[in-house]
Every structure is written in structure tokens, then in C-alpha cells.
């Protein structure tokens, strides 16, 4: 679109309601494409498809995640049982009691003569027992403390646990699922583009239909006005002839009926033209009460006979967005099958990261956060799923077969459509030639009838018949010209070349 056309369109949009706008077919197309809601939806869908394709690409890359947690438990983990805790906490007392028992046992085995000798030296059983008891107490207290220390050292205090980790996962082999997913994303992006092109061509087809409908009705309005002037002039002439006695009142009534019919026809054309212009304005995104004038309204000859179009089915097959969309559906179905097949294949990933916990076990039991680096390989191998994946793969292959059949059917229908559109263009060209010839004959017939009527050798009825034939020929010519335009549009749409 060049700068002049942009300025023209902006001027059209900013004109106040009720102002007249001169619109060409190209300007109507441009406004329709800009304001069509379905095309706006397609543009958003394209953006969605692009972002999904970018998202699929990230599946090849390593992913980093951070996790953390807290857990409270009613009991803590204990590496020592209650009996072991009891023995360690009282190990000094147990040792002292054992020493005192052993010493008492030994003293009971000492002969009395020895005790007499020791007594002479001032050593008695009581003094020995007192000294042993004192020594035992001296040993028991630190040993008890040491044992309790061991018990405390083995206490985990895991009732309040804090954990955290940073995990890096790098897919290595996922059974082909990532490749299939990325291909599906590419196909969906292409599908969105083809869908937008299909809607664009449908919008152009709709605006062309509406545009030429308005042009057709505008020309028929002028034709109806011209016919009304002719029949009114004839009515005036006949009324004068009745007054002069050279025409009958019956002839005058017949002409008056034709005048009424012409007025009714003109009223219907005016109503149809107003509705058609409202519909065209609505498609273009203009207010429906906007007064619009089309560039082709005053064109004398709307269409000329075109050259015979060449039948080109291959071009239609390669250009039609509908076929491309169906091919996208087939490709998507195939990739869906590959994605499902990955469910029966092993998956390999590299995993690494850093994990912390509090309390931790890396240096005994410590009430502080301490972490460790880790790296490893995770392999997942499906073993048995009762044939779930197999059934899904079979179903997906069936969907692919259906999509291929729909594509083949669409190709056949498009081939038929191209043939029909080509025949219609040829038929429209022939009809236009016949209509142009009929128009010339009708004009000559009307001129001769008017001349004979003025000379008084032809009756008003014959003139009315000539006028009716002229009206019919002119109307057929307008229809033939519009049909040539629409047949060309139909052919372009069938070939997928509507621009």
C-alpha cells in the first residue's frame, strides 16, 4: 500500500458521519482487511503459535529449579535406643559399682592373718572400702558426663527439618518426544498462517461480492429511472392523443399501469441499494449510515470479454490455503503418533545441583544449614502399561488415515471447483457478448418504435413492448457484466490467487 492510499484511507475514516466517501474496490478491500474481526483473531492466533514454537525450543535446553521445604514431626530420629542411652548416661556409676563389688569380693578372699598384719600397719577393710568408694565417685562423675555427652552427640533433633535444593535437569534422550513436540509447534505456526490466509481470501471474496452488488444495483437504479422517464413521456403523449381522439382510453390505462410498475420497480431498487450500501459499509468498518459512492457506479461498461482462462488445477492445489491446512492436519497427526510412541521408549536425563538441610548429617548432627553438590543420571524405562501406549498409537494412526482421506477428498472437490469456475468464466463471457448484442438490437428496436409512434404508424402498445424489451436487455447486460466480474473473482478464489 503506497503513501497516497494510506492518506486516502485515513481521510475516509476521519470524515464525519453523513459525509460522502468515494471508495474504490482496493480501498474497500483495505478497510475490510483492517477491520475484520476474524482476521484480528487470526493475527493473535499467529502470535500464540509463534510463542508456543519458542516454548517448544526450550525443551532442548537445561532447566533449573529451586525447591525448599519445612517439616515438623512429633518425634525426632534417634540412632540410639533407650537402653543404650541409659547405659551411656550411667556408665561411670556402673563402673564404680563394679569396682566396689570387685574390691569387696577380693577383700573377702584375703586371709584374716593378712588383715591382722595390715591392721598392724593401720590399714583396715573400712579404710580400703572408703578409699575405693571415694575413687569410684571420682571416676563415676566424669564418666557419666562423658556418656551423656555421647548420647547428646547422637541426638538428631529432627523434629524441625529445613531442606532446600537447586536442581539442573538436562534432557539427553526422551524417546523422540521433544523432537516431535518441536515439529508440532512448527506445523501449528504454519497452520495459523494458512488459516489467516484462508480468512483473508474469504474476506476479499465477501467484499468483492458486496462491492459489485452495490454497483449492479446502482446501474439498475439508473436504468429504472431512465425507464420511468421513458414510460412517463409515453404516458404524457398518449394522454394528449386521447384528448385528440386518436388513442383509446384503454391504451392510456395500459400505459398508466406500466408507469406504476416502473415506480414500484424503482422503489424496490432504491431499497435494495440502500441495504447493500449499509452491508458494504459494515464490512468495511464504516458507520452503516455513511453515505458512500463507489468509483464504478458511473462506469459506462463495467466489464469486457476476457480471454479464455487456462485450466490450472496444479496451481490451485499448491496455492489453496484450505489444502495447506488439511496437509498441516495430516502432519500434526503423524507427529502426534511419534509423540505417543515415545511413551514406550526409555528416557535419559542428566541431573545435577546443590542441596542443603538443617539439621544436616555431613559432620555429625549439626543444627545449621550445610549443603553438598551432586550430579547423576536418571533413566526411566517403561516396563508394563497394559498396552495403553500401543492402543493410543493405533488410534493416532487411524486419525492420520482419516486426515489423508479428507485431504484427498478436498483435492477432488477443489479440482471440480476449478473446472466449474473456469466454465463459469467462459459462460459469463459468452453471456456478455450476447447481452451486448441484445442491447444494440433493443436500442435500435426502441428507436424505430419511437419514430413510428411519432409518425402515427405504431400503436402505444408496440412502443411499450419495445421499451420493455429495451429494459430487459439493459438489465441483462448489467447482470452479465457483474457476472463476468464475479466469475473472475470465483476463479481466483478457486485457484487460491485472490489478492
Amino acid at each position: 500500500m503506497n503513501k497516497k492510499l494510506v492518506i486516502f484511507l485515513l481521510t475516509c475514516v476521519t470524515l464525519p458521519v453523513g459525509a460522502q466517501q468515494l471508495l474504490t474496490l482496493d480501498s474497500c478491500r483495505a478497510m475490510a482487511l483492517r477491520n475484520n474481526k476474524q482476521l484480528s483473531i487470526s493475527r493473535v492466533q499467529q502470535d500464540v503459535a509463534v510463542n508456543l514454537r519458542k516454548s517448544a525450543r526450550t525443551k532442548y535446553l537445561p532447566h533449573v529449579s529451586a525447591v525448599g521445604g519445612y517439616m515438623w514431626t512429633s518425634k525426632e530420629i534417634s540412632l540410639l535406643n533407650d537402653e543404650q542411652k541409659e547405659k551411656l548416661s550411667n556408665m561411670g556409676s556402673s563402673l564404680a559399682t563394679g569396682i566396689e563389688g570387685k574390691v569387696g569380693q577380693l577383700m573377702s578372699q584375703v586371709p584374716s592373718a593378712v588383715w591382722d598384719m595390715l591392721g598392724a600397719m593401720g590399714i583396715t577393710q573400712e579404710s580400703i572400702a572408703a578409699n575405693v568408694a571415694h575413687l569410684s565417685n571420682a571416676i563415676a562423675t566424669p564418666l557419666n558426663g562423658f556418656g551423656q555427652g555421647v548420647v547428646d552427640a547422637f541426638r538428631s533433633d529432627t523434629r524441625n527439618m529445613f531442606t532446600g535444593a537447586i536442581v539442573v535437569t538436562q534432557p539427553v534422550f526422551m524417546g523422540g518426544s521433544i523432537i516431535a513436540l518441536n515439529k508440532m509447534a512448527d506445523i501449528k505456526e504454519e497452520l495459523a498462517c494458512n488459516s489467516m490466509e484462508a480468512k483473508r481470501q474469504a474476506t476479499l471474496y465477501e467484499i468483492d461480492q458486496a462491492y459489485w452488488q452495490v454497483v449492479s444495483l446502482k446501474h439498475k437504479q439508473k436504468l429504472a429511472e431512465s425507464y420511468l422517464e421513458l414510460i412517463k413521456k409515453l404516458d404524457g403523449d398518449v394522454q394528449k392523443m386521447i384528448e385528440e381522439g386518436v388513442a383509446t382510453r384503454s391504451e392510456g390505462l395500459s400505459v398508466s399501469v406500466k408507469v406504476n410498475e416502473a415506480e414500484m420497480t424503482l422503489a424496490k431498487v432504491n431499497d435494495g441499494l440502500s441495504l447493500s450500501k449499509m452491508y458494504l459499509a459494515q464490512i468495511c468498518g464504516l458507520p452503516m449510515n455513511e453515505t458512500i459512492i463507489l468509483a464504478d457506479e458511473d462506469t459506462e461498461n463495467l466489464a469486457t470479454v476476457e480471454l479464455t482462462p487456462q485450466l490450472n488445477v496444479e496451481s490451485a492445489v499448491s496455492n489453496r490455503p484450505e489444502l495447506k491446512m488439511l496437509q498441516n492436519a495430516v502432519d500434526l497427526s503423524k507427529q502426534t503418533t511419534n509423540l505417543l510412541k515415545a511413551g514406550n521408549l526409555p528416557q535419559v536425563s542428566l541431573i545435577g545441583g546443590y542441596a542443603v538441610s538443617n539439621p544436616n548429617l555431613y559432620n555429625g548432627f549439626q543444627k545449621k544449614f550445610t549443603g553438598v553438590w551432586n550430579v547423576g543420571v536418571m533413566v526411566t524405562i517403561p516396563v508394563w502399561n497394559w498396552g495403553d501406549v500401543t492402543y493410543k498409537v493405533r488410534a493416532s494412526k487411524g486419525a492420520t488415515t482419516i486426515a489423508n482421506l479428507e485431504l484427498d477428498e478436498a483435492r477432488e472437490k477443489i479440482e471440480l471447483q476449478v473446472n466449474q469456475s473456469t466454465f463459469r468464466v467462459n459462460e459469463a463471457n459468452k453471456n456478455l457478448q450476447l447481452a451486448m448484442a441484445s442491447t444494440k438490437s433493443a436500442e435500435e428496436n426502441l428507436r424505430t418504435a419511437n419514430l413510428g409512434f411519432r409518425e402515427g404508424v405504431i400503436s402505444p402498445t408496440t412502443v411499450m413492448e419495445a421499451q420493455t424489451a429495451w429494459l430487459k436487455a439493459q438489465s441483462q447486460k448489467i447482470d452479465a457484466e457483474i457476472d463476468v466480474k464475479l466469475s473472475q473473482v470465483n476463479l481466483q478464489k478457486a485457484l487460491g490467487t485472490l489478492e
Side-chain angles (χ1 to χ4, degrees):
M1 184 183 299
N2 56 35
K3 186 181 294 184
K4 292 183 179 178
L5 182 56
V6 173
I7 296 174
F8 170 74
L9 291 177
L10 292 175
T11 305
C12 290
V13 173
T14 55
L15 283 174
V17 176
Q20 292 185 352
Q21 292 196 47
L22 178 63
L23 301 178
T24 64
L25 178 59
D26 289 339
S27 62
C28 288
R29 284 181 163 191
M31 286 188 289
L33 292 177
R34 186 178 65 246
N35 294 290
N36 187 273
K37 298 296 187 296
Q38 290 299 318
L39 282 175
S40 299
I41 293 174
S42 294
R43 294 187 188 98
V44 176
Q45 289 175 339
Q46 271 191 306
D47 293 338
V48 171
V50 169
N51 287 311
L52 289 177
R53 189 252 304 160
K54 292 179 179 178
S55 172
R57 294 291 189 272
T58 63
K59 304 301 180 184
Y60 289 113
L61 305 176
H63 285 63
V64 181
S65 58
V67 295
Y70 165 79
M71 179 181 292
W72 176 86
T73 57
S74 60
K75 293 182 178 181
E76 65 181 36
I77 299 173
S78 178
L79 299 179
L80 302 175
N81 57 37
D82 292 340
E83 183 180 355
Q84 291 171 332
K85 291 178 183 178
E86 180 68 23
K87 288 182 178 180
L88 286 172
S89 299
N90 297 298
M91 60 182 300
S93 300
S94 298
L95 180 60
T97 302
I99 293 174
E100 291 177 354
K102 287 294 183 180
V103 171
Q105 184 179 3
L106 290 174
M107 287 191 300
S108 64
Q109 295 177 356
V110 175
S112 55
V114 175
W115 285 117
D116 293 340
M117 189 186 331
L118 291 173
M121 297 172 61
I123 301 173
T124 64
Q125 292 186 20
E126 290 76 8
S127 62
I128 292 174
N131 289 329
V132 169
H134 178 74
L135 178 62
S136 298
N137 290 333
I139 295 174
T141 300
L143 283 179
N144 286 340
F146 176 77
Q148 185 62 46
V150 173
V151 171
D152 292 340
F154 274 95
R155 184 182 178 186
S156 61
D157 193 14
T158 53
R159 288 173 299 174
N160 295 284
M161 297 185 65
F162 299 88
T163 59
I166 296 178
V167 182
V168 180
T169 305
Q170 172 62 61
V172 177
F173 177 74
M174 306 304 289
S177 60
I178 295 180
I179 297 175
L181 187 65
N182 275 271
K183 289 183 178 179
M184 290 175 69
D186 293 338
I187 295 170
K188 287 180 179 179
E189 184 179 3
E190 184 180 349
L191 177 62
C193 294
N194 292 330
S195 176
M196 182 173 180
E197 176 61 19
K199 291 178 181 178
R200 187 190 70 84
Q201 292 198 18
T203 302
L204 293 178
Y205 182 76
E206 183 181 15
I207 198 68
D208 283 15
Q209 295 273 343
Y211 181 90
W212 291 115
Q213 176 70 14
V214 172
V215 172
S216 173
L217 289 173
K218 183 63 178 179
H219 279 73
K220 288 189 175 182
Q221 181 190 53
K222 294 178 182 179
L223 178 61
E225 290 172 350
S226 300
Y227 176 70
L228 181 59
E229 291 178 1
L230 287 176
I231 200 67
K232 281 185 175 180
K233 184 178 182 303
L234 178 62
D235 183 53
D237 293 339
V238 170
Q239 293 301 324
K240 292 178 182 179
M241 293 174 64
I242 292 174
E243 292 175 358
E244 295 176 359
V246 294
T248 64
R249 188 165 184 79
S250 175
E251 292 175 330
L253 291 174
S254 297
V255 177
S256 297
V257 170
K258 286 292 184 180
V259 172
N260 293 333
E261 290 178 354
E263 290 176 344
M264 292 177 61
T265 300
L266 179 59
K268 290 180 180 179
V269 172
N270 288 335
D271 291 341
L273 179 60
S274 297
L275 291 174
S276 296
K277 284 193 173 183
M278 291 173 65
Y279 176 61
L280 179 63
Q282 187 268 331
I283 298 176
C284 293
L286 299 173
M288 286 191 292
N289 60 344
E290 187 86 14
T291 302
I292 58 177
I293 299 175
L294 304 185
D296 293 295
E297 287 184 2
D298 298 322
T299 304
E300 184 67 24
N301 294 314
L302 295 175
T304 58
V305 177
E306 299 288 337
L307 296 175
T308 302
Q310 298 295 321
L311 186 62
N312 194 347
V313 178
E314 291 77 12
S315 175
V317 171
S318 61
N319 292 329
R320 285 291 290 268
E322 294 88 349
L323 281 181
K324 293 179 180 179
M325 292 170 65
L326 288 173
Q327 183 62 55
N328 293 149
V330 172
D331 296 338
L332 271 176
S333 183
K334 291 179 179 178
Q335 294 305 320
T336 300
T337 302
N338 293 334
L339 185 63
L340 291 171
K341 286 181 178 179
N344 272 339
L345 298 176
Q347 299 181 356
V348 182
S349 300
L350 290 178
I351 298 177
Y354 185 77
V356 297
S357 64
N358 183 2
N360 68 85
L361 303 177
Y362 303 117
N363 187 21
F365 284 100
Q366 293 180 315
K367 288 286 292 181
K368 67 178 182 179
F369 283 101
T370 303
V372 61
W373 293 98
N374 59 83
V375 64
V377 179
M378 183 174 68
V379 180
T380 303
I381 301 176
V383 178
W384 184 251
N385 54 25
W386 301 100
D388 174 59
V389 175
T390 302
Y391 298 142
K392 289 179 179 179
V393 169
R394 290 177 184 175
S396 181
K397 288 182 177 179
T400 303
T401 302
I402 293 173
N404 276 313
L405 291 173
E406 290 177 346
L407 177 60
D408 293 339
E409 183 183 20
R411 283 198 182 107
E412 294 173 358
K413 289 183 177 180
I414 285 177
E415 182 177 357
L416 178 60
Q417 188 179 29
V418 172
N419 280 277
Q420 290 175 337
S421 299
T422 304
F423 292 152
R424 183 179 173 185
V425 171
N426 293 331
E427 183 181 359
N429 288 334
K430 293 177 182 178
N431 289 338
L432 179 58
Q433 289 178 328
L434 294 174
M436 293 172 68
S438 297
T439 301
K440 291 180 180 179
S441 298
E443 289 175 348
E444 179 62 24
N445 184 38
L446 179 60
R447 187 189 67 80
T448 303
N450 287 330
L451 182 60
F453 179 72
R454 287 194 297 269
E455 296 294 333
V457 295
I458 291 181
S459 66
T461 303
T462 304
V463 176
M464 285 191 297
E465 291 175 353
Q467 290 176 341
T468 302
W470 173 82
L471 175 64
K472 182 179 179 181
Q474 291 289 343
S475 180
Q476 288 177 342
K477 177 176 176 291
I478 294 172
D479 290 339
E481 290 174 330
I482 296 299
D483 194 42
V484 168
K485 290 291 186 181
L486 294 182
S487 65
Q488 293 170 358
V489 174
N490 283 329
L491 181 58
Q492 289 177 345
K493 188 174 186 298
L495 295 173
T497 58
L498 188 58
E499 297 293 341

